[in-house]
Amino acid sequence: MMESALTARDRVGVQDFVLLENHTSEVAFIENLRKRFKENLIYTYIGSVLVSMNPYKDLEIYTKQHMDRYRGVNFYEVSPHIYAVADNAYRSMRTERRDQCILISGESGAGKTEASKKVLQYYAITCPASEHVQTVKDRLLQSNPVLEAFGNAKTLRNDNSSRFGKYMDIQFDFKGAPVGGHIINYLLEKSRVVHQSHGERNFHIFYQLIEGGEDDLLRRLGLEKNAQQYQYLVKGNCPKVSSINDRNDWKIVRKALSVIGFTDDELLNIIASVLHLGNVQYGGEDSGSAYITTETQIKYLARLLGVDGTVLKEALTHKKIIAKGEELMSPLNQEQAASARDALSKAIYGRTFTWLVNKINGSLAFKNASVIGLLDIYGFEVFQNNSFEQFCINYCNEKLQQLFIELTLKSEQEEYEAEGITWEPVQYFNNKIICDLVEEKFKGIISILDEECLRPGDASDITFLEKLENTVGGHAHFLTHKLADGKTRKVMGREEFRLIHYAGEVNYNVNGFLDKNNDLLFRNLKEVRAQAATQFKNSLAKLMEILMSKEPSYVRCIKPNDAKQAGRFDEVLIRHQVKYLGLMENLRVRRAGFAYRRRYETFLQRYKSLCPDTWPNWDGRLVDGVSTLVKHLGYKPEEYKLGRTKIFIRFPKTLFATEDALEVRKHSLGMSYSQKTKYRKMRQSAIKIQAWWRGILACREAKRRREAANTIRRFIKGFIYRHQPRCPENEYFLDYVRYSFLMKLHRSLPKTVLDKSWPTPPPALIEVRYICHESVIRTVIDSSRCEMRDYKMVASEIFKDKKDNYPQSVPKLFVGSRLSDDCANIIHPSPQYAVPVTKYDRKGYKARNRQLLLMANSAIIVEEAKLKQRIDYSSLKGISVSSLSDGMFVLHVACEDNKQKGDVVLQSEHVIEALTKVAICAEKMNSININQGSIKFNVAQGKEGIIDFTSGSELLIAKAKNGHLSVVSTAD
């Protein structure tokens, strides 16, 4: 149970922040986090809210055994864990028949994405399954790597940062099995497609495709295996990251896409087109008009997007203007054309991402199901330079904080009312004033931004800032450089406005606000005007409706440091996150009433031994038993309340005192009479076992020493009688000497027949030398047979059923040389194989007697030991031989220099043996071509010769009238 860890609170803190004695102290809050983080306890509760610290290392707390431990167990019966939150939501959905949602928030790098993965994995493994359900589980799990590839990127804070918000509904049937899902995405950071800050990367999918894509795929898409070649991938100067394996991730994504039901063409063509768009370059004419200088990119784009290249080219260099109902094409300058190109890239990627999500939803669709929602949304962001994206993200967190406090207060109030406890109103900061400042109709910041984007005239980011000053300049949570006092102006830019959020002050730079809100392309690029902030506001309103309709659970993620280092605890950074996650606010709301609440049976079962009236069993009503127990413990009336089914304890110190008393009581219970009797019996049994075992060990040692002494005596006595005939006194010694000799001979047995360095044997083993000598001879003979067998097998693979005279070569042994002794003695060094051959000139086909020698690295042709030609095995392209019974063959040689003037035409009486040896020495077993009818060969560079083969009664080789070399082969 959770209370069992209270005795270790000095070392590991408390598992629930509600039990902090000084619950209003931020220092005490962070110190509790530090204690637990130091002990690798990354999860802590605030009531039912889970606070999660990113450990930046693998912890063995996500195994199947851990899942079983949390499955079906009461929320507070086990230590805090993401599995406890997941299981509690699942059981509430099943038992209460009410849809649930798990809200996961935190800044980039805090572990939100990993937390959502753990929840999905928990449901995938622990929920009931069938063949259909297993398919759905696979698709649910595989949607994660796909969405991460297309929606996540490496940032300065996180190597796998989600650059979009995600809400996923996991749908369950009446049996509790996951049968479907639905995903809603929010505010994809499309600007990252065309620009990344230094040290950051574009979305993962681009690098995965470039690094891991197969050669055929990249060739079809017109891409190179080098991210440096693409303008959209080098802005951050960080194409590769040591912690990211793009090649392996590509394999995972390809597998996930196939599981979900995607085909390559429908998705990868679009991704490749974005990269090609980024490489479209412009030049400028004297008139200032832009023109495209990279025609190759336009060809690729036209093919990949399925559009007319001329139309696309015009759309990227002109804009369409409608004047008095007439359409006119106006040329763009270089800057405008580049902006149009980037706007098109962002629009393509944004719509592709939306289509991707819809496609995933289509594969998971299911109706009439219970739902557990999973919200993985960006946390409050404060950077050195905060732009439109941070404005939307922080506005989202304002709405979530408003919902968080409202629902927390609501759940507290509902529990008190259900238990009959009087609810005491709680004072808290209501951030509705900030939400209204942003979203109020006609005079909120979003309305002013939309109005400025739509009005005619020269609207700009500065005019938007001026309009903000005129409209909301007097608001308590709004400030600009112009409206600030002298001290504040020193830290604010003239292009910034400040919002005082619930989590602190944030300065926003208005540069780019209008462009990003417009998301505007020229008309001929088929994009319509859309206000991003309004769209986000409407999406957020729908999300709030979804969340309000469900029973919420919360996971607050914290990153301990910016360096992603395990074990490092950055107190300043953590204090900042504790503030903007609203954790102290949540703790204060929870502690406004009672710090501890448990059902009567749980409380009584744990602490009943502290009261004589309730120990060992209480037979009456549970509420009466608890009342008797707390009165015996001396609880004051203001320290606790008794509800209908639970006891409520107001102060942690009251619970701690009870827990300490239980620890003392455990020791006294252990010293009871029954325990003492049991202890004595166990002690006596242990002593008997120890004595018996010591006796066995002593007997074994004595026996070992006795045997050793007897062995030494026998050895000495045998040495004394060593020259006597074999008798009982010396047989042990003589056997030992023979054994030693045989082992020595085994370790140093001569390897060759001629080796005479044999160890001197004892008299009884003189004959062993001759036996071993015969064994060596047999070994040599066996090795020769093995070698012959290998040659014959290679010959069979090459020539069997392919060359007519192969059967005649089978019974003949292959030898190492076919030369006479006189010829062999004058060749040095010795070749691996030698055979006499007849060489035919390439021009007149004159026959000349030669010898073919196979050396280690080359084949050489000699005449009476005089080198005529050297053919390196590396330059040997192939070998051609006819299918008839002649001995002709051609060595095809690469003519890369003047040393090799053409292919070599040879004839040998041992053609099967010779070619088998050549194939093995040159490692060209697969390069021998057996031809029927004729063989073509190179006479010289650019000139070709032909050998024609026919069957006849005798072997004839001559130059024919057509200039070919004619060979008449004898029949078998």
Side-chain angles (χ1 to χ4, degrees), residues 160-347:
N160 187 31
S161 177
S162 298
R163 307 318 300 160
F164 72 106
K166 178 181 70 175
Y167 175 80
M168 172 186 281
D169 270 336
I170 309 168
Q171 300 166 331
F172 298 84
D173 63 11
F174 69 97
K175 297 179 182 178
V179 290
H182 185 81
I183 299 169
I184 305 174
N185 63 292
Y186 300 94
L187 197 68
L188 177 70
E189 189 185 20
K190 293 183 289 187
S191 60
R192 181 170 293 273
V193 174
V194 300
H195 177 77
Q196 308 92 44
S197 300
H198 184 76
E200 297 193 350
R201 299 207 312 175
N202 209 323
F203 293 101
H204 292 324
I205 186 62
F206 294 113
Y207 305 94
Q208 292 171 359
L209 175 59
I210 293 297
E211 185 67 24
E214 299 78 4
D215 292 340
D216 291 343
L217 173 63
L218 295 180
R219 193 179 302 111
R220 180 177 68 77
L221 298 176
L223 300 177
E224 298 180 35
K225 220 175 188 64
N226 183 4
Q228 300 281 4
Q229 298 295 321
Y230 301 98
Q231 295 300 313
Y232 284 164
L233 304 185
V234 297
K235 300 291 181 68
N237 195 27
C238 187
K240 290 191 176 182
V241 183
S242 60
S243 63
I244 299 175
N245 190 325
D246 294 311
R247 187 184 301 273
N248 286 348
D249 291 346
W250 170 253
K251 295 177 182 177
I252 295 171
V253 171
R254 285 293 292 272
K255 178 183 176 183
L257 287 172
S258 65
V259 170
I260 296 172
F262 285 90
T263 62
D264 291 341
D265 292 343
E266 61 186 344
L267 198 56
L268 300 183
N269 284 0
I270 301 176
I271 299 304
S273 69
V274 173
L275 294 177
H276 286 300
L277 264 175
N279 281 6
V280 171
Q281 301 296 318
Y282 295 94
E285 299 177 349
D286 295 338
S287 61
S289 300
Y291 64 91
I292 293 175
T293 61
T294 50
E295 293 291 337
T296 304
Q297 306 301 328
I298 297 299
K299 293 179 182 178
Y300 280 127
L301 284 167
R303 178 169 59 83
L304 293 171
L305 294 176
V307 298
D308 184 88
T310 304
V311 175
L312 177 62
K313 186 175 179 181
E314 182 181 34
L316 289 170
T317 54
H318 293 74
K319 64 180 177 181
K320 186 178 291 184
I321 300 175
I322 299 178
K324 297 181 180 180
E326 184 179 355
E327 291 186 353
L328 301 174
M329 298 300 292
S330 174
L332 302 173
N333 59 34
Q334 282 184 261
E335 182 178 354
Q336 291 171 331
S339 298
R341 173 201 63 202
D342 292 346
L344 179 59
S345 299
K346 291 188 290 184

Side-chain angles (χ1 to χ4, degrees), residues 111-126:
K112 302 186 299 297
T113 301
E114 283 301 313
S116 63
K117 285 182 186 177
K118 300 304 181 191
V119 173
L120 278 175
Q121 289 169 358
Y122 181 82
Y123 292 145
I125 293 175
T126 61

Side-chain angles (χ1 to χ4, degrees), residues 738-958:
R738 293 169 183 170
Y739 174 81
S740 298
F741 167 77
L742 291 174
M743 291 304 297
K744 182 178 180 181
L745 183 64
H746 172 73
R747 290 190 291 268
S748 58
L749 188 67
K751 304 300 181 183
T752 66
V753 178
L754 300 178
D755 188 355
K756 303 299 183 181
S757 59
W758 290 74
T760 303
L765 297 178
I766 294 296
E767 295 297 323
V768 171
R769 172 183 297 184
Y770 302 104
I771 296 172
C772 292
H773 190 267
E774 291 176 1
S775 175
V776 171
I777 293 173
R778 283 197 300 270
T779 301
V780 172
I781 293 173
D782 290 344
S783 65
S784 299
R785 289 177 177 171
C786 289
E787 185 178 11
M788 180 63 64
R789 179 196 61 199
D790 293 341
Y791 280 128
K792 287 294 184 177
M793 288 180 66
V794 172
S796 173
E797 291 178 6
I798 297 174
F799 298 108
K800 185 177 180 181
D801 299 328
K802 299 176 184 176
K803 188 162 178 65
D804 292 349
N805 60 342
Y806 167 73
Q808 284 74 35
S809 72
V810 173
K812 297 178 182 178
L813 295 178
F814 287 178
V815 298
S817 174
R818 293 288 179 179
L819 302 183
S820 63
D821 293 340
D822 294 338
C823 292
N825 291 335
I826 63 174
I827 297 174
H828 188 78
S830 298
Q832 297 181 8
Y833 177 71
V835 64
V837 295
T838 301
K839 179 179 181 295
Y840 291 89
D841 291 346
R842 289 181 293 273
K843 296 181 179 178
Y845 301 123
K846 184 177 180 181
R848 301 180 187 274
N849 293 327
R850 297 286 188 267
Q851 294 84 41
L852 174 63
L853 310 180
L854 303 183
M855 313 305 285
N857 299 313
S858 61
I860 61 175
I861 299 174
V862 300
E863 180 187 10
E864 296 179 354
K866 182 179 180 181
L867 178 64
K868 289 295 185 179
Q869 186 173 357
R870 180 184 299 276
I871 303 171
D872 290 337
Y873 294 144
S874 60
S875 64
L876 184 60
K877 297 191 298 181
I879 304 168
S880 293
V881 64
S882 78
S883 61
L884 301 179
S885 297
D886 57 87
M888 298 294 294
F889 62 96
V890 179
L891 303 180
H892 298 284
V893 184
C895 300
E896 298 177 353
D897 51 36
N898 294 329
K899 294 179 181 180
Q900 304 294 346
K901 297 181 179 179
D903 296 339
V904 183
V905 181
L906 301 173
Q907 189 266 337
S908 172
E909 295 179 0
H910 309 281
V911 66
I912 302 296
E913 176 186 85
L915 290 184
T916 301
K917 297 277 189 174
V918 172
I920 292 175
C921 292
E923 297 182 357
K924 302 286 185 179
M925 277 79 81
N926 297 323
S927 299
I928 295 181
N929 301 310
I930 301 176
N931 300 270
Q932 295 181 348
S934 64
I935 295 175
K936 294 182 180 180
F937 65 95
N938 290 330
V939 176
Q941 291 187 2
K943 189 174 181 181
E944 189 178 76
I946 298 177
I947 306 174
D948 293 326
F949 296 91
T950 57
S951 297
S953 58
E954 60 179 340
L955 177 65
L956 293 176
I957 302 174

Side-chain angles (χ1 to χ4, degrees), residues 409-421:
L409 284 170
K410 181 182 177 183
S411 63
E412 282 286 289
Q413 187 172 0
E414 287 177 350
E415 183 176 16
Y416 281 33
E417 290 176 353
E419 291 294 324
I421 306 294

Side-chain angles (χ1 to χ4, degrees), residues 395-411:
Y395 162 55
C396 174
N397 276 271
E398 285 286 356
K399 295 293 288 183
L400 287 173
Q401 174 68 6
Q402 186 180 30
L403 180 72
F404 178 51
I405 295 298
E406 287 181 1
L407 293 181
T408 302
L409 284 170
K410 181 182 177 183
S411 63

